[in-house]
Amino acid sequence: MEDEESPRRRRKRSGPPMGGGELEDEVELPPAPEGYEDYDYYEAGSDALQTGDGGGFDAAPLDIDIEANTDNAIRSIGAFRFVNVVIPQGATIDSAVLTLETSAGGDLDPALDIHGDDADDSASFVATPSIVSRTFTTASVAVTDPISAGQWTSPDISDVLQEIVDRAGWASGNAMTIILNGYSELGPDGVNFKSLAAGGVPSLTIFFSGG
């Protein structure tokens, strides 16, 4: 949690975050309320895509394409890792949302569940080059309604994050990974989100108390 006495600042970036864009002047943001954390990530290797059968792993995807299919060689799973999540162990997650940007011309008909990596300190996709081998949280949130192009904000995923921060081994400053798991069903359902490599800047916004 940030010190309310200090102004919050965010660097404006021109061009893709890891694709050679330059940081411009800082922009001062309004003071954050108590128990507020907002995470963007710029660390290379912070998103990944994999097919449901465990093949086709990509730690630098050009697109996070979440497809629903009964064939696990086609069904896909995407993940976004956030580092230095400053929330105390056992804190109450009052609300939490994931914000992504859809890819231009991509599918907008999701059929997926949002889980978390049920780990004390979620490993990077370089150290652990897999999504499907990770333990998914029991808590999940379904996303089945068509979405609009542009910025998309998830339903509340506080139960998913609560399961992670309630772990005995969770500590403030650890990393957590949010997983988008395509349904095992037939149909045209799918959604395309911008990856880090494509200039996307996923963010995780969390309100919490206690801990």
Side-chain angles (χ1 to χ4, degrees):
M1 185 175 61
E2 300 184 33
D3 183 354
E4 290 186 318
E5 298 299 322
S6 302
R8 299 165 58 238
R9 298 179 183 274
R10 177 165 297 161
R11 302 294 299 275
K12 291 176 62 180
R13 184 179 294 270
S14 60
M18 297 298 294
E22 296 181 354
L23 286 169
E24 300 172 356
D25 294 338
E26 290 186 343
V27 176
E28 186 168 325
L29 302 176
E34 182 75 18
Y36 169 90
E37 292 292 342
D38 188 12
Y39 297 95
D40 294 339
Y41 68 79
Y42 294 114
E43 182 178 82
S46 291
D47 56 11
L49 185 67
Q50 188 170 29
T51 52
D53 62 359
F57 179 78
D58 189 350
L62 294 178
D63 192 50
I64 304 294
D65 178 13
I66 311 299
E67 295 291 337
N69 203 288
T70 54
D71 185 346
N72 276 334
I74 298 174
R75 185 175 70 86
S76 53
I77 306 168
F80 303 89
R81 180 172 179 263
F82 298 88
V83 298
N84 301 322
V85 180
V86 185
I87 296 176
Q89 192 278 335
T92 297
I93 306 300
D94 299 311
S95 67
V97 294
L98 175 69
T99 301
L100 305 172
E101 186 176 352
T102 62
S103 299
D107 294 330
L108 299 170
D109 194 18
L112 60 89
D113 283 329
I114 303 176
H115 293 263
D117 179 7
D118 196 7
D120 296 339
D121 189 10
S122 186
S124 73
F125 297 117
V126 175
T128 303
S130 175
I131 302 172
V132 300
S133 67
R134 297 169 188 243
T135 300
F136 291 12
T137 54
T138 301
S140 65
V141 175
V143 180
T144 57
D145 292 333
I147 65 175
S148 300
Q151 189 177 80
W152 171 78
T153 299
S154 75
D156 180 36
I157 57 171
S158 55
D159 286 350
V160 173
L161 271 61
Q162 190 69 63
E163 189 171 334
I164 297 171
V165 303
D166 279 349
R167 293 178 58 89
W170 169 265
S172 181
N174 284 1
M176 61 172 58
T177 293
I178 307 301
I179 298 168
L180 277 58
N181 188 21
Y183 281 176
S184 181
E185 64 179 27
L186 286 175
D189 300 317
V191 63
N192 298 76
F193 293 113
K194 280 187 178 180
S195 66
L196 185 64
V201 185
S203 65
L204 184 62
T205 302
I206 307 166
F207 288 86
F208 68 93
S209 54

